[in-house]
């Protein structure tokens, strides 16, 4: 729900750009169904749209919302347990786990060469 993203400025930017609070859902459905802006795309292109949307819109927003949510919970309820749980969730989403990780850190490492933000070990300098 969009309530989870209250106070999250990036969510507002995505909503404004896409004119919907369901922007990622709509993009993924269009890619899977081959409709809308994906109507003339190949199956490979639609698969890429689905993957990229999940990676760069859904994962990012999910992790950031956990961090901001924890701040709201702490201010409203002074519930330290909820704050710790949300930070744990946010870190898990950001970092991912295992060899098949798709966390934000993995993504940053995978594309840092395209943006000139890799260190000398090909790891992202900025996450």
């Amino acid at each position: 729900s969009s309530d989870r993203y209250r106070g999250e400025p990036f969510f507002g930017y995505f909503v404004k750009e896409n004119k919907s609070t369901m922007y990622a859902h709509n993009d993924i459905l269009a890619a899977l169904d081959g409709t809308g802006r994906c109507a003339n795309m190949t199956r490979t292109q639609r698969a890429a749209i689905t993957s990229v949307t999940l990676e760069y819109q859904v994962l990012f927003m999910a992790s950031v919302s956990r961090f901001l949510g924890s701040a709201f919970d702490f201010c409203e309820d002074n519930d330290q347990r909820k704050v710790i749980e949300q930070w744990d969730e946010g870190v898990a989403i950001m970092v991912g786990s295992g060899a098949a990780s798709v966390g934000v850190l993995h993504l940053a490492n995978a594309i840092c060469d395209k943006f000139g933000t890799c260190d000398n070990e090909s790891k992202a300098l900025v996450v």
Side-chain angles (χ1 to χ4, degrees), residues 10-20 23:
F10 292 107
F11 182 68
Y13 302 146
F14 283 117
V15 169
K16 184 177 178 181
E17 178 68 25
N18 294 284
K19 298 172 182 57
S20 172
Y23 60 88

Side-chain angles (χ1 to χ4, degrees), residues 5-126:
Y5 305 111
R6 63 191 167 138
E8 167 48 57
F10 292 107
F11 182 68
Y13 302 146
F14 283 117
V15 169
K16 184 177 178 181
E17 178 68 25
N18 294 284
K19 298 172 182 57
S20 172
T21 59
M22 302 287 289
Y23 60 88
H25 174 82
N26 295 340
D27 285 350
I28 291 169
L29 282 182
L32 293 174
D33 296 338
T35 59
R37 69 184 183 115
C38 298
N40 296 319
M41 292 183 179
T42 67
R43 183 179 179 141
T44 302
Q45 290 170 321
R46 292 189 345 253
I49 291 284
T50 301
S51 177
V52 168
T53 300
L54 286 168
E55 292 171 348
Y56 295 102
Q57 292 183 14
V58 176
L59 277 176
F60 171 77
M61 195 58 61
S63 61
V64 171
S65 74
R66 298 315 190 277
F67 298 130
L68 283 174
S70 69
F72 281 111
D73 286 340
F74 186 74
C75 290
E76 291 174 353
D77 304 331
N78 200 21
D79 187 344
Q80 190 172 17
R81 182 190 54 77
K82 278 173 74 175
V83 170
I84 292 169
E85 286 174 6
Q86 288 192 15
W87 270 87
D88 284 348
E89 289 176 13
V91 169
I93 293 167
M94 281 290 231
V95 175
S97 64
S101 176
V102 292
V104 175
L105 179 60
H106 170 76
L107 296 172
N109 288 333
I111 64 169
C112 65
D113 61 319
K114 295 178 183 174
F115 296 94
T117 57
C118 293
D119 64 15
N120 55 0
E121 295 178 3
S122 297
K123 303 290 183 189
L125 293 170
V126 180

